[in-house]
Amino acid sequence: MSCRFLITFISKPVIAGFTSAAAITIAASQLKDLFGLQFSSETVIEAFSELFKNITDTRWQDLTLGICCIVVLLLMRKIKDLQFVKPRPGDGVPARLGRKLLFLTSVGRNAIVVIVAGVIAFVANADQPFSLTGV
């Protein structure tokens, strides 16, 4: 028997609150990595407290790469909404392929950014400018 019907008894504000709390918790846990800091924390408050205590130890390389990735992700998300990406009647095959390629680039943005950032970190590995999680 499926428990799906139980979801209908949970109000939308409760679901929205749970989703928002999960998003805040995940974002707070990722801040230390964005700033290139190394500390452990159990709660959101503790994560922000440790972040502000250790802010002077920020690795600018990690922060720059992280912010660039966030900006690129946000820009790539908007590509699919642009008018010149939508198919038009009378488009030739090259135009349709170009529009489809732009759309697919927008849809696959997460994978593209992860691959490009991974290649950048791998190429720059000799100088160790980034905090890496392992081999």
Side-chain angles (χ1 to χ4, degrees), residues 76-77 79-82 84-87 96-109 112:
M76 289 177 79
R77 186 171 79 181
I79 289 175
K80 70 180 180 341
D81 299 330
L82 298 175
F84 67 87
V85 175
K86 297 182 182 2
R96 281 197 316 250
L97 285 175
R99 293 178 200 284
K100 188 62 85 176
L101 183 63
L102 279 173
F103 176 77
L104 291 174
T105 300
S106 174
V107 172
R109 65 189 173 271
I112 292 168

Side-chain angles (χ1 to χ4, degrees), residues 36 59-63 65 120-132:
R59 293 179 47 96
W60 67 267
Q61 300 95 331
D62 291 338
L63 185 60
L65 182 63
I120 290 170
F122 178 77
V123 169
N125 191 27
D127 300 331
Q128 291 292 346
F130 304 111
S131 300
L132 301 178

Side-chain angles (χ1 to χ4, degrees), residues 27-41 43-58 63:
S29 70
Q30 296 299 312
L31 280 176
K32 70 178 180 120
D33 297 321
L34 179 65
F35 284 83
L37 300 173
Q38 297 197 0
F39 59 82
S40 62
S41 60
T43 65
V44 172
I45 303 295
E46 189 179 352
F48 280 107
S49 174
E50 289 294 321
L51 174 70
F52 291 122
K53 275 189 219 171
N54 297 301
I55 198 79
T56 57
D57 298 330
T58 298
L63 185 60

